[in-house]
Amino acid sequence: MRRKTLRTIALSVAAATAVALSGCAGGGGGGDAAAGGTVTLWVRDYQEAIMKPLADAFNKSHDTKVKVTLVPAGEFVQKLGTAAAGNNAPDIASIDLVFTPYFASVGALADITDKVEALDYADDLSPAHVAQGQYEGKTYSVPFTGDVSVLFYNKTLFAEAGLDPEAPPKTHQEIADAAARISALGDGKYGYVFSGACGGCNIFSMTPLIWASGGNVLNEDGTKALLDSQEVTDALQLYRDMWANGDMPELVQTDNGPNAGTPFQEGKIGMKGDGTFFLGTLASEGTVDFGVTPLPGKDGGSASFAGGDNLSITSGSKNPDGAWEFLEWATGEEAQTQLADASVLPIRMDLLDDIYIPKDPRYQVFADALAKGFVPYSTVENELFNDNNGIWATLIAESVFGGDIEAAQKKAQKAAQALLDEAND
Amino acid sequence: MTSTLLPPAPAAAAALSSPRRRRTGLGRRRQLTGALLALPAIALLGIFFLWPLTRTVFMSFFDWPMLGAAEFAGLDNYAKAFTDAEFLRAVGFTLVYTALTTPLLLVVGFGLALLVSRRTRAARFFQTIYFLPVVIGLASGSFLWLFMWQSDVGPTTQLLGSLGLVDPAKNIFADYWGALLIVVGMVTWKVAGLQMLLLLSGLQSIPVEVNEAARMDGATGWQVFKHVTLPLLRPTLALVLVFSVAGSLLAFDQFYILTTGGPANSTITAVYQIYRTSFIQFDLGYGAALSLLLMLVLGLVSAVQMLLLRNSDHS
């Protein structure tokens, strides 16, 4: 029974450390606050621009001080895992929500069920984030930031190709047609771009094409793989056809994340599936006239990956009370408003109408996507989907660039099911 | 030590045994000093090699996740390695890579060494130039080449494109041989200088008289090289071979950075697979077993080469 946790040990460690003093290093120090002291927080590096101001705002109004450490995004899971194994984990981890089931399952996170239930707005938190924060009926994290996937399209290129910039694609066929017409413009213009060697990117931007068709990659409780289903075939076929037709630039075959956005930002690409963060980048540059639309299914419908970060207190935290103080504040109106002002999608469903949607007409698409977003639930997410050499990334590479979709699906399904069986036995 | 400080007790016995005693005392003191002086090195060896090694061996017999409880698994991890298609494929690729780089490095290193073996200022100048890439870190070198050969934006692809030699829009890393050759090229550029230096010192340790004698006997340049230089250089050649074979079998950084194992996982090396097993799949026990298997292979390769070295050492 590998991967199953030693919850008892982890929890007793947590209890022991909770009893231990909360290291009093607070600058300014007032004696009456519940917690005080310093808490450390790890976050993926690309969120520096939002995390630093948020920490400053918290530190100004609290005796407890939060100290932010940026961790390279590609190594976050490894670093947090090794740190937890060596009892050097931070007090708070801002974890890509898909990894919270894993860290909860191995006892690395503290059980905060009672505290979360006591929040006034417990029922107004993003449902997808809440679901990922739970493991075997207990809650191990609170939602923090939203990052949902939609289809970005370049309105200028749509117009140039004779397409209506106000009528973005609503089916797979319409995506393929638009891509072909934009590529026909020539001059280095391509219809579609994605990161073909990146597992995480595609669970974010490609699975919505599957969900919207009514399919899935895993069943509800993450025990069965569905990688050989027809809806998966349809999405792979769409990408395969666009690649074979030359509607994608060559870089997509080897890009593992960082480069696919650049040609879109340069105005050379018609469409790209991406998230809320990308909108911030595009909007601040202001060079591309773009629109956003939900990612469609084969014959219509739409779906989205409801991503972002969850905040968890680690089971080894020396200052769990101080850590909770930050978690509670970070999900509160002040912090969520500050996030919305920084064009991050808040996770408080009750606040979206006031603090987020009015800021930009395109935000409505994100808000809707968050409400009905999907996230596959799995304790082996990293190995199954996010590993750039793993099952999911290999399935995409072999299907889209190799062409034998059926064989690739068969192989991936077998490997994925074996992995899930091993993890869930 | 204490015994040497004691006064020789019974006078009668002292007369007979004290010289011997003193000698053993001195010997012991020397031994102790030696041990004391070696202690830092032993401590380092212990902390950074012996202890991790023992621990790795221990872990390799367990189903040992990164977080959570370890379970004894006997030889399961080892048995699994021989049926693990992904690992076997990685091993196969590592061997291909080693077979490709080793002769290339040797020939290029040797060629460079011959070029700079003249004792002139110009030779020293070029020797420095050829050696320069060696002092660049492997990771930095990899990133440099990654950028140089990027389609559309890389300076090398641009330059070769403007000469009409390659299609600058072509993604070289998307092709197995393209990706592999770039890695091999980078490693050759990076490591050949070191091979050159080692071979050069070997060449220069061959007495001039031997060469002169051969020439006086009427040997041609090729004959001198084949019958004098090569045999006398064999120990150096063996050393260089051990270096490059071990280096190639342990290849990781260059592939992690340049190809990230692609296209379609075709350039994953053994160490890359160990990394994935341990830090992506969090299966530390299996990763430990794979590491030990690799260590065994490395030990064998080195042993064989040492054997060759001994048999060929005529000096």
Side-chain angles (χ1 to χ4, degrees):
Chain A
M1 215 198 203
R2 39 184 304 206
R3 286 173 229 282
K4 204 133 202 204
T5 74
L6 230 215
R7 288 266 293 292
T8 36
I9 286 189
L11 289 177
S12 46
V13 168
T17 40
V19 171
L21 75 159
S22 49
C24 180
D32 59 335
T38 302
V39 289
T40 51
L41 182 152
W42 283 11
V43 67
R44 285 178 286 167
D45 52 3
Y46 71 86
Q47 299 181 38
E48 178 178 14
I50 57 159
M51 203 62 228
K52 284 279 162 78
L54 212 58
D56 289 343
F58 176 82
N59 289 343
K60 247 180 227 149
S61 56
H62 291 76
D63 289 334
T64 309
K65 304 296 167 205
V66 64
K67 195 168 153 273
V68 174
T69 301
L70 302 170
V71 178
E75 291 156 32
F76 189 89
V77 177
Q78 288 92 313
K79 291 238 193 258
L80 185 61
T82 33
N87 274 324
N88 293 316
D91 296 292
I92 306 169
S94 181
I95 307 174
D96 181 345
L97 83 177
V98 295
F99 299 125
T100 41
Y102 166 71
F103 283 111
S105 78
V106 292
L109 307 178
D111 177 1
I112 49 173
T113 313
D114 297 340
K115 288 178 167 147
V116 175
E117 276 172 6
L119 292 172
D120 302 338
Y121 45 84
D123 297 331
D124 298 318
L125 297 166
S126 157
H129 287 68
V130 169
Q132 291 289 313
Q134 295 183 331
Y135 178 71
E136 294 186 343
K138 296 220 162 57
T139 301
Y140 293 90
S141 65
V142 291
F144 176 43
T145 55
D147 188 12
V148 294
S149 53
V150 296
L151 185 68
F152 286 76
Y153 66 99
N154 183 323
K155 288 187 173 178
T156 314
L157 289 183
F158 263 61
E160 273 179 42
L163 298 154
D164 181 359
E166 301 311 322
K170 299 254 178 293
T171 64
H172 287 185
Q173 191 57 50
E174 287 179 27
I175 290 181
D177 292 343
R181 288 180 67 167
I182 290 163
S183 306
L185 294 171
D187 191 25
K189 307 283 197 321
Y190 291 95
Y192 203 89
V193 75
F194 80 114
S195 298
C198 172
C201 311
N202 288 308
I203 200 70
F204 188 67
S205 62
M206 190 179 185
T207 34
L209 298 168
I210 298 164
W211 290 322
S213 306
N216 209 335
V217 286
L218 291 180
N219 69 345
E220 195 75 13
D221 60 356
T223 52
K224 290 267 173 288
L226 302 169
L227 293 179
D228 58 353
S229 56
Q230 181 59 41
E231 292 84 359
V232 176
T233 316
D234 294 338
L236 289 170
Q237 190 67 53
L238 169 68
Y239 274 34
R240 168 64 191 170
D241 291 345
M242 287 194 287
W243 170 255
N245 291 341
D247 298 338
M248 298 180 179
E250 288 219 16
L251 74 93
V252 305
Q253 190 173 353
T254 49
D255 180 45
N256 51 17
N259 302 319
T262 314
F264 190 95
Q265 285 162 252
E266 291 167 353
K268 291 177 178 169
I269 303 291
M271 290 165 284
K272 179 180 197 303
D274 212 315
T276 325
F277 263 84
F278 194 49
L279 184 133
T281 313
L282 288 172
S284 66
E285 285 181 355
T287 47
V288 179
D289 181 19
F290 67 97
V292 293
T293 185
L295 283 157
K298 184 166 190 281
D299 303 307
S302 71
S304 177
F305 184 103
D309 273 22
N310 274 355
L311 288 175
S312 290
I313 301 172
T314 59
S315 52
S317 168
K318 292 179 186 61
N319 189 358
D321 293 331
W324 173 253
E325 209 179 336
F326 181 78
L327 261 58
E328 189 173 8
W329 179 82
T331 47
E333 188 164 350
E334 184 192 342
Q336 289 293 316
T337 307
Q338 194 179 334
L339 284 175
D341 291 343
S343 62
V344 173
L345 174 58
I347 42 68
R348 284 280 297 277
M349 307 311 283
D350 53 332
L351 298 177
L352 288 177
D353 281 330
D354 294 330
I355 64 171
Y356 183 69
I357 294 169
K359 288 180 183 296
D360 186 314
R362 291 172 290 213
Y363 282 2
Q364 184 69 50
V365 179
F366 292 121
D368 292 345
L370 183 64
K372 53 177 184 174
F374 294 75
V375 190
Y377 184 96
S378 177
T379 55
V380 288
E381 174 86 25
N382 197 38
E383 189 175 349
L384 185 52
F385 293 121
N386 285 64
D387 176 7
N388 288 343
N389 305 108
I391 296 167
W392 171 246
T394 306
L395 167 65
I396 292 167
E398 290 181 354
S399 302
V400 179
F401 310 117
D404 192 346
I405 297 179
E406 198 185 334
Q409 276 188 289
K410 211 177 259 176
K411 188 175 129 192
Q413 171 66 19
K414 201 172 149 218
Q417 193 55 54
L419 180 65
L420 292 172
D421 289 344
E422 202 182 352
N424 293 314
D425 69 353
Chain B
M1 188 125 117
T2 38
S3 68
T4 62
L5 295 175
L6 285 174
L16 207 120
S17 68
S18 82
R20 199 162 91 214
R21 230 197 203 179
R22 206 175 291 147
R23 201 174 302 141
T24 41
L26 191 69
R28 230 184 251 169
R29 198 185 300 179
R30 274 195 176 163
Q31 271 178 356
L32 242 141
T33 316
L36 218 64
L37 288 173
L39 207 62
I42 292 173
L44 285 178
L45 193 73
I47 294 170
F48 293 109
F49 180 68
L50 293 176
W51 168 241
L53 182 65
T54 321
R55 186 120 176 108
T56 307
V57 173
F58 181 69
M59 286 171 79
S60 72
F61 296 113
F62 284 81
D63 191 343
W64 194 301
M66 171 101 82
L67 293 161
E71 262 176 50
F72 186 72
L75 290 170
D76 284 3
N77 285 328
Y78 290 94
K80 190 174 157 195
F82 291 96
T83 53
D84 179 349
E86 282 192 341
F87 181 64
L88 294 179
R89 187 184 179 191
V91 169
F93 173 72
T94 310
L95 293 178
V96 169
Y97 170 71
T98 305
L100 214 60
T101 40
T102 306
L104 188 67
L105 278 178
L106 193 66
V107 169
V108 174
F110 209 110
L112 292 179
L114 289 176
L115 279 178
V116 299
S117 65
R118 291 198 189 100
R119 294 170 194 274
T120 62
R121 193 168 290 179
R124 295 292 78 73
F125 175 71
F126 281 103
Q127 178 186 330
T128 310
I129 288 189
Y130 298 149
F131 187 74
L132 269 181
V134 177
V135 298
I136 298 173
L138 192 55
S140 323
S142 302
F143 277 117
L144 206 62
W145 278 59
L146 181 66
F147 175 61
M148 278 162 55
W149 292 93
Q150 269 317 299
S151 54
D152 295 318
V153 293
T156 313
T157 38
Q158 298 276 35
L159 184 71
L160 295 179
S162 68
L163 296 174
L165 291 173
V166 296
D167 173 8
K170 179 121 190 72
N171 183 351
I172 307 169
F173 295 97
D175 172 67
Y176 170 75
W177 283 108
L180 181 55
L181 287 181
I182 285 178
V183 172
V184 169
M186 193 279 293
V187 169
T188 308
W189 165 79
K190 170 85 185 61
V191 180
L194 182 67
Q195 308 268 47
M196 171 199 75
L197 210 64
L198 290 169
L199 289 164
L200 184 66
S201 69
L203 279 176
Q204 289 179 341
S205 71
I206 297 173
V208 193
E209 297 82 4
V210 188
N211 279 325
E212 276 174 2
R215 291 228 179 241
M216 298 248 280
D217 289 341
T220 64
W222 171 246
Q223 283 173 322
V224 172
F225 178 75
K226 195 178 164 203
H227 297 290
V228 178
T229 312
L230 265 189
L232 287 174
L233 209 56
R234 269 194 194 167
T236 318
L237 284 173
L239 176 74
V240 166
L241 271 180
V242 172
F243 270 175
S244 75
V245 169
S248 306
L249 289 178
L250 291 174
F252 170 67
D253 323 34
Q254 56 268 50
F255 289 99
Y256 185 72
I257 294 167
L258 279 166
T259 72
T260 56
N265 299 346
S266 57
T267 60
I268 292 181
T269 62
V271 177
Y272 201 141
Q273 188 59 24
I274 292 172
Y275 165 79
R276 289 187 62 226
T277 305
S278 305
F279 298 107
I280 290 176
Q281 300 164 4
F282 302 138
D283 199 346
L284 296 186
Y286 185 41
L290 295 183
S291 305
L292 286 170
L293 287 175
L294 184 66
M295 199 179 90
L296 208 68
V297 171
L298 274 172
L300 277 176
V301 169
S302 305
V304 167
Q305 285 176 331
M306 289 303 167
L307 218 65
L308 288 175
L309 163 76
R310 193 167 49 181
N311 287 351
S312 63
D313 194 355
H314 299 302
S315 57

